[in-house]
Amino acid sequence: MAGRHKEFDEETALNAATEVFWSQGYESASMEDLLTAMDINKGSMYNTFGNKRELFVRVLDRFFKSAVTDMTRKFEAHDNPIDGIREIFRSVTRPADLKDHAKGCFLVNTLGEMCGLDEELATMARNHLLDIETIYLKYLRKGVKNGQVRKEVAPELMARFLTNMWNGMSISRRMYNRKALEDLVDMQLSLIAP
C-alpha cells in the first residue's frame, strides 16, 4: 500500500517554522504557533518532522547550511577576503528583509537561549558557529598569503575576532542604525586589513 500523498510543500513548511523559531525562540514557540505558520495538521507534523525538538534541530541545521553556502559565495565573489568579510557583515547592516534586522542571528540567539536549558542544542549552535569560524580562517589564511590581510596577528585569532564581532553584531543591530553599524564594521575590519 502506498503512503499518503503529502498535501504541503516541505520547504515552505520549514521556512515558516524557521520564522517562528527565529522570532520567538525555541521555548516560546508553541506547537500551535508552528502548526498555524506551517499550515499543516498535527499528523502531518509528526509524520514528516517528528516532535518540536526534532523540527527545531532540522531547522537549525538547514539554517546553518544555508548560511555556509551564502558566506562561501560571498568570499568566492572577491579576490580579497577583506571584501568578502565586508560583504558578509554588510548583510547585517542592509538586510533584504527589514524584520531580519531586529531578529539577530538565529545561531547566536539559539546559543544564548539554550545555554543552561538544553546543552545538546546549545552545543549544536556553538559547533555551527565554530564551523563558521573555520570558514573565516580558511579565507584569512589565503589573505595573509596574498598580502591582503595583516600577518602580525595569527589568522586563528583573527577568525575568532570575526566570530566575536558577528556575535556582537547580532545584538548591536538591535541598537544602532545602518550608518552606525557600517562605520563599526569598517573600523573593525581596519584592524585586520594591512
Side-chain angles (χ1 to χ4, degrees):
M1 180 166 128
R4 288 182 61 196
H5 174 70
K6 285 185 193 172
E7 298 183 14
F8 66 93
D9 179 69
E10 251 184 74
E11 289 302 305
T12 301
L14 285 168
N15 286 339
T18 300
E19 283 303 309
V20 172
F21 283 131
W22 196 353
S23 297
Q24 298 181 27
Y26 176 76
E27 283 295 305
S28 294
S30 70
M31 199 55 129
E32 184 178 323
D33 294 334
L34 290 162
L35 293 173
T36 299
M38 295 168 75
D39 196 24
I40 61 175
N41 62 38
K42 275 187 184 177
S44 294
M45 165 69 183
Y46 290 113
N47 288 334
T48 306
F49 303 110
N51 60 30
K52 176 182 167 182
R53 191 174 192 285
E54 291 169 323
L55 173 64
F56 185 78
V57 167
R58 186 156 169 196
V59 162
L60 194 66
D61 284 340
R62 183 173 171 267
F63 181 89
F64 166 71
K65 287 174 186 165
S66 175
V68 166
T69 298
D70 183 60
M71 185 178 183
T72 303
R73 181 186 55 74
K74 286 174 179 165
F75 270 121
E76 291 297 324
H78 300 281
D79 292 328
N80 187 332
I82 298 296
D83 294 330
I85 294 165
R86 184 173 284 106
E87 186 178 347
I88 290 165
F89 280 90
R90 288 286 162 97
S91 68
V92 173
T93 65
R94 302 174 186 175
D97 182 348
L98 291 177
K99 291 184 293 183
D100 287 350
H101 192 77
K103 291 188 297 191
C105 172
F106 187 38
L107 296 172
V108 174
N109 294 351
T110 299
L111 180 57
E113 179 185 8
M114 291 301 150
C115 281
L117 184 65
D118 185 322
E119 284 306 314
E120 187 178 340
L121 290 178
T123 298
M124 282 184 70
R126 182 180 303 113
N127 288 340
H128 285 331
L129 287 165
L130 290 171
D131 288 341
I132 287 172
E133 184 176 305
T134 301
I135 296 169
Y136 284 132
L137 179 58
K138 172 186 171 181
Y139 289 96
L140 286 165
R141 283 180 173 154
K142 178 181 168 187
V144 168
K145 183 179 175 184
N146 295 335
Q148 300 158 321
V149 174
R150 294 177 70 165
K151 61 182 177 185
E152 299 83 15
V153 180
E156 294 80 6
L157 183 56
M158 284 188 273
R160 203 170 307 132
F161 168 76
L162 290 172
T163 303
N164 184 63
M165 184 173 147
W166 181 264
N167 294 343
M169 290 291 283
S170 184
I171 299 298
S172 294
R173 70 180 172 185
R174 299 173 187 180
M175 298 169 51
Y176 301 117
N177 65 28
R178 186 175 90 184
K179 172 74 169 92
L181 290 170
E182 288 180 356
D183 289 346
L184 188 58
V185 168
D186 288 340
M187 186 277 295
Q188 291 174 324
L189 291 184
S190 73
L191 299 175
I192 63 174

